[in-house]
């Protein structure tokens, strides 16, 4: 005899059913912006079971793939299978099926896949411009009035000087309206190097911004910030640390932030950063504006001399009464290495040479990785130092390639999930591209693309971290204009900081977040305005993303990276020549994920052997 009626079994049956759904529903994590037609393609699968089918827009299965064995990825605590679908080479939009069930229908294959995100991430710098109104013709619905137009700025006592200086222009650092020399350093270098490596590609690429004179868009944008940086140099050559209000502004548009601005601090790290950036700018702007280029070079030399004479003027924290970002630094030796390296490349003067390189990827407080790029890409000039720099780059790049073979198929490990983790992912991709430039080995290129895949959706949060792009992207970034402009969508093209478990923004104040941490670094994130520790945006985070997207596009369009040589040995050619109209000797080219030399219409590999 039945002890219970049927009704009593219903909750149990529902619970069993939902358990079945939870444990067996597979999820596919993809690059939501897309994959390149002729290249390697991979997505991640969690809770999959058996083979995967990819179907075209008509529902026809076009590829059946066998996922890899599952492996554990520590940062998210998941067992993950990787699905290689490189064999699918027809542009289009596809769906992914497991066991006949459609998991998602937004899988895209295209050519020029990252051109739009490259342009958008570069255009974001225009949206960050201080002291200028954004016209509708360029900014669309994100048009706004000019902010911070008052040129005369008070020197804070922490500068060791008094009075005022004239300072306008520059990019707002992040979600706040501060302008900081140190963070401008790595950002501006990264964007300058993108141009310097691919000048022919960027001479014609445009993204609808007001461009000064005949400058390509990329150089016009960078100049807006260089002009501001130049205002931050004191007459003795030293460079002020930052230009901000005393406290972070409220949630207002730039034009409504009327708090008095101050020039605060003067630092060795900021001064060396400035010197390195100006040394690169001198090379890059020379073909367009020789007098601006020599102004930059003189500023660089003067800053470097001040840095040598003031080796420990470190900005260790805010002076009393100031609470804006610190970009504190107690060891400016890596900034000196960067500055000396770039000054040596620009001048050929051996007194600028500084020994050393590193195997660590750069961030705003560690510029030796960037000096390592400079040395490794100038083998003739740096000799044994260049060889060591190259070894450092390859050692780390090999480790990255290895890490991306399992788990989520991403490079990052648990330690990489710090404040601005997405910039670590992007900078790792940039590092891999340098390994690729130095060897022509396509495994480095393919792994750099995996960094893009991670940032654009192949991650355990299943989201594209670039505002406005991908199926699911941040809607509530910590970015004052996006919060206060009355436009529903955030300003496009911004890479948010990304997941990390620090929880610095968690608290009980009205402006703080409630706890969003999951116990796992790669999923500790909240798409909420409160979250300055995971959902802010910043110029130094967008820059490596823009480099990665822009360089991948340039390489895939057939442009090989160029590295400026000594001005004494090779004159910088007056530029703006498209590659199709260039007639010259052997040319380094890139196609089918391979670097080769083209000479008289014939192709040779990097060892000089003829290839088809
Ligand atoms: O990017 C910076 C990060 O590495 C630091 O941990 C954090 C706290 O000091 O500050 C970040 O930089 C912020 C800066 O101080 C002010 N503008 C916003 C920046 C991004 O959050």
């Amino acid at each position: 005899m039945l002890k219970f009626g049927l009704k009593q079994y219903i909750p149990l049956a529902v619970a069993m059913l939902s358990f079945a759904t939870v444990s067996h529903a597979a999820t596919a994590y993809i690059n939501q912006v897309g994959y390149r037609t002729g290249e390697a393609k991979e997505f991640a699968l969690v809770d999959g079971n058996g083979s995967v089918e990819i179907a075209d827009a008509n529902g026809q299965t076009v590829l059946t793939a066998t996922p890899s064995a599952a492996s554990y990825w520590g940062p998210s605590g998941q067992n993950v299978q990787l699905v290689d679908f490189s064999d699918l080479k027809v542009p289009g939009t596809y769906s992914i099926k497991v066991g006949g069930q459609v998991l998602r229908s937004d899988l895209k294959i295209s050519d020029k896949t990252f051109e739009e995100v490259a342009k958008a991430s570069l255009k974001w710098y225009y949206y960050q411009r201080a002291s200028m109104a954004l016209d509708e013709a360029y900014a669309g619905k994100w048009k706004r009035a000019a902010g911070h137009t008052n040129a005369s700025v008070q020197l804070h006592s922490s500068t060791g000087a008094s009075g005022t200086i004239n300072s306008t222009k520059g990019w707002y650092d992040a979600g706040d309206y501060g302008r900081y020399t140190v963070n401008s350093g790595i950002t501006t270098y990264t964007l300058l190097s993108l141009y310097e490596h691919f000048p022919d590609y960027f001479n014609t690429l445009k993204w609808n911004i007001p461009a000064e004179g005949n400058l390509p868009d990329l150089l016009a944008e960078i100049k807006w910030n260089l002009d501001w940086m130049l205002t931050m140099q004191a007459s003795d050559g030293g460079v002020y640390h930052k230009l901000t209000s005393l406290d972070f502004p409220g949630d207002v548009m730039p034009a409504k932030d009327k708090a008095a601005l101050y020039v605060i601090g003067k630092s060795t790290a900021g001064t060396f950063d400035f010197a390195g950036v100006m040394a690169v700018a001198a090379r890059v702007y020379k073909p367009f504006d020789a007098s601006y280029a020599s102004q930059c070079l003189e500023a660089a030399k003067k800053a470097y001399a001040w840095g040598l004479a003031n080796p420990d003027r470190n900005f260790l924290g805010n002076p009393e009464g100031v609470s804006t970002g610190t970009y504190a630094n107690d060891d400016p030796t890596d900034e000196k290495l960067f500055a000396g390296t770039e000054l040596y490349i620009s001048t050929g003067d051996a007194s600028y040479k500084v020994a050393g390189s590193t195997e660590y990827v750069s961030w705003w407080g560690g510029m030796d990785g960037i000096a390592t790029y400079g040395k490794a890409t100038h083998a003739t000039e740096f000799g044994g130092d260049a060889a060591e720099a190259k070894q450092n780059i390859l050692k780390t790049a090999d480790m990255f390639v290895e890490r991306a073979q399992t788990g989520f198929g991403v490079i990052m490990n648990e330690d990489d999930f710090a404040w601005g983790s997405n910039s670590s992912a992007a900078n790792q991709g940039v590092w891999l591209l340098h390994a690729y430039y130095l060897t022509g080995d396509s495994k480095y290129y393919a792994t750099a693309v995996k960094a893009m895949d991670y940032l654009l959706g192949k991650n355990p949060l299943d989201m594209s971290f670039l505002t406005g792009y991908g199926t699911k992207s941040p809607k509530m970034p910590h970015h004052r204009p996006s919060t206060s402009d009355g436009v529903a969508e955030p300003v496009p093209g911004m890479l948010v900081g990304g997941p990390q478990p620090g929880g610095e923004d968690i608290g009980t104040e009205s402006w703080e977040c409630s706890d969003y941490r999951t116990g796992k670094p790669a999923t500790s994130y909240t798409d909420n305005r409160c979250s300055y520790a995971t959902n802010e945006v910043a110029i130094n985070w967008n820059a490596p993303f823009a480099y990665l997207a822009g360089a991948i596009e340039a390489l895939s369009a057939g442009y090989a990276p160029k590295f400026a040589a000594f001005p004494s040995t090779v004159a910088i050619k007056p530029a703006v020549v498209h590659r199709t109209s260039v007639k010259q000797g052997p040319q380094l080219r890139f196609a089918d994920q391979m670097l080769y030399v083209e000479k008289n219409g014939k192709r040779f590999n990097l060892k000089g052997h003829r290839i088809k």
Side-chain angles (χ1 to χ4, degrees):
M1 208 176 87
L2 280 175
K3 274 198 174 157
F4 303 104
L6 199 56
K7 260 191 184 165
Q8 280 151 303
Y9 282 102
I10 289 175
L12 183 62
V14 168
M16 283 173 71
L17 262 178
S18 59
F19 176 72
T21 321
V22 167
S23 63
H24 293 302
T27 310
Y29 301 86
I30 67 170
N31 181 332
Q32 299 170 12
V33 167
Y35 294 85
R36 309 187 68 82
T37 307
E39 298 183 8
K41 303 172 190 66
E42 180 185 271
F43 64 80
L45 185 67
V46 172
D47 291 330
N49 186 10
S51 63
V52 169
E53 286 174 71
I54 299 183
D56 66 13
N58 301 320
Q60 294 294 310
T61 297
V62 289
L63 187 85
T64 303
T66 306
S68 69
S71 65
Y72 183 73
W73 197 51
S76 66
Q78 288 167 300
N79 286 308
V80 192
Q81 292 178 288
L82 295 173
V83 181
D84 184 327
F85 63 109
S86 310
D87 288 344
L88 191 54
K89 292 179 178 159
V90 183
T93 303
Y94 299 89
S95 54
I96 299 172
K97 295 198 229 172
V98 168
Q101 286 239 307
V102 174
L103 304 187
R104 59 193 307 154
S105 302
D106 57 346
L107 181 70
K108 295 190 195 78
I109 296 181
S110 62
D111 299 317
K112 299 191 176 181
T113 318
F114 305 133
E115 190 181 285
E116 285 309 309
V117 294
K119 288 186 193 176
S121 57
L122 289 167
K123 181 159 182 172
W124 179 59
Y125 291 90
Y126 160 71
Y127 288 115
Q128 289 296 98
R129 287 190 192 185
S131 320
M132 170 186 202
L134 306 188
D135 292 341
E136 191 169 5
Y138 303 109
K141 58 186 166 188
W142 296 283
K143 67 184 180 205
R144 62 166 172 80
H148 310 92
T149 49
N150 187 3
S152 176
V153 185
Q154 190 73 38
L155 287 160
H156 188 269
S157 58
S158 56
T159 58
S162 59
T164 60
I165 63 162
N166 279 343
S167 184
T168 55
K169 302 173 101 178
W171 301 311
Y172 298 130
D173 185 56
D176 64 318
Y177 299 140
R179 283 164 278 171
Y180 305 82
T181 306
V182 164
N183 209 37
S184 269
I186 186 164
T187 304
T188 312
Y189 164 83
T190 303
L191 297 179
L192 281 169
S193 73
L194 178 59
Y195 179 85
E196 190 169 38
H197 294 164
F198 301 102
D200 296 336
Y201 180 72
F202 282 101
N203 279 339
T204 54
L205 198 72
K206 292 191 167 298
W207 48 89
N208 191 30
I209 55 166
E212 184 187 318
N214 65 345
L215 289 175
D217 279 4
L218 181 50
L219 294 191
E221 192 53 67
I222 296 171
K223 189 166 183 291
W224 192 263
N225 203 55
L226 288 170
D227 287 351
W228 168 72
M229 288 181 83
L230 286 165
T231 70
M232 293 290 279
Q233 186 171 38
S235 55
D236 63 359
V239 182
Y240 300 120
H241 194 70
K242 61 177 174 176
L243 193 171
T244 71
S245 38
L246 295 179
D247 298 313
F248 283 121
D251 245 339
V252 294
M253 291 300 282
K256 292 272 162 61
D257 174 26
K258 297 292 186 196
L261 293 178
Y262 291 85
V263 169
I264 300 165
K266 193 178 189 182
S267 67
T268 308
T271 301
F272 279 133
D273 274 331
F274 172 100
V277 165
M278 290 301 161
V280 183
R283 300 196 297 269
V284 165
Y285 286 83
K286 196 173 174 189
F288 298 96
D289 186 342
S291 83
Y292 190 67
S294 60
Q295 185 192 350
C296 292
L297 191 59
E298 288 318 303
K301 290 178 181 173
K302 233 174 133 175
Y304 192 79
W306 187 91
L308 291 186
N310 298 272
D312 47 19
R313 183 85 177 259
N314 295 330
F315 193 90
L316 300 175
N318 274 324
E320 207 173 317
V322 177
S323 63
T324 49
T326 55
Y327 291 113
N329 193 327
D330 63 359
D331 178 9
T333 49
D334 49 299
E335 285 81 7
K336 180 182 168 189
L337 179 62
F338 162 57
T341 300
E342 293 302 337
L343 267 162
Y344 178 53
I345 296 169
S346 292
T347 62
D349 177 347
S351 68
Y352 287 116
K353 269 190 176 179
V354 183
S357 61
T358 184
E359 60 197 57
Y360 296 106
V361 176
S362 275
W363 57 295
W364 64 257
M367 293 296 282
D368 36 6
I370 279 169
T372 305
Y373 293 159
K375 289 190 173 180
T377 54
H378 292 83
T380 322
E381 295 87 336
F382 287 99
D385 249 14
E388 183 193 274
K390 179 177 171 181
Q391 283 322 307
N392 275 325
I393 289 179
L394 298 188
K395 185 176 167 205
T396 300
D398 285 336
M399 177 183 78
F400 288 166
V401 170
E402 188 58 33
R403 278 199 215 158
Q405 301 303 311
T406 55
F408 236 91
V410 309
I411 303 156
M412 298 167 88
N413 69 11
E414 300 201 30
D415 295 342
D416 293 323
F417 288 90
W419 193 315
S421 63
N422 283 339
S423 70
S424 302
N427 275 314
Q428 289 170 340
V430 174
W431 186 278
L432 282 155
L433 285 183
H434 283 75
Y436 175 61
Y437 304 158
L438 296 168
T439 60
D441 189 332
S442 61
K443 73 181 178 199
Y444 299 125
Y445 173 85
T447 311
V449 174
K450 289 190 184 192
M452 281 300 276
D453 292 344
Y454 171 82
L455 291 170
L456 296 175
K458 190 184 149 221
N459 58 59
L461 291 162
D462 190 19
M463 72 189 293
S464 158
F465 292 117
L466 193 74
T467 56
Y469 292 86
T471 316
K472 180 184 161 200
S473 60
K475 301 287 183 254
M476 300 290 288
H478 184 92
H479 179 239
R480 282 168 179 73
S482 294
T483 308
S484 50
D485 62 7
V487 178
E489 298 91 346
V491 170
M494 306 192 290
L495 186 75
V496 297
Q500 62 104 359
E504 295 83 348
D505 46 16
I506 294 168
T508 49
E509 299 289 342
S510 60
W511 44 272
E512 289 178 312
C513 302
S514 50
D515 202 345
Y516 53 81
R517 289 169 298 183
T518 60
K520 293 291 171 194
T523 47
S524 293
Y525 165 84
T526 181
D527 181 14
N528 191 310
R529 196 268 163 213
C530 67
S531 189
Y532 52 85
T534 73
N535 211 31
E536 189 165 359
V537 296
I539 56 172
N540 63 315
W541 303 340
N542 253 61
F545 178 89
Y547 185 103
L548 194 54
I552 289 172
E553 283 302 317
L555 288 167
S556 303
Y559 297 90
K562 286 188 181 163
F563 304 113
F566 274 152
S568 52
T569 53
V570 180
I572 299 174
K573 293 194 187 70
V576 203
V577 187
H578 192 260
R579 84 198 149 103
T580 49
S581 63
V582 179
K583 284 199 183 69
Q584 40 193 211
Q587 286 288 289
L588 206 52
R589 294 241 184 265
F590 175 82
D592 301 329
Q593 294 188 54
M594 193 180 70
L595 266 182
Y596 60 90
V597 177
E598 193 171 279
K599 196 178 167 193
N600 301 328
K602 297 187 183 87
R603 294 177 173 196
F604 301 87
N605 67 18
L606 297 182
K607 292 189 177 122
H609 299 133
R610 176 94 191 265
I611 51 171
K612 294 245 173 190

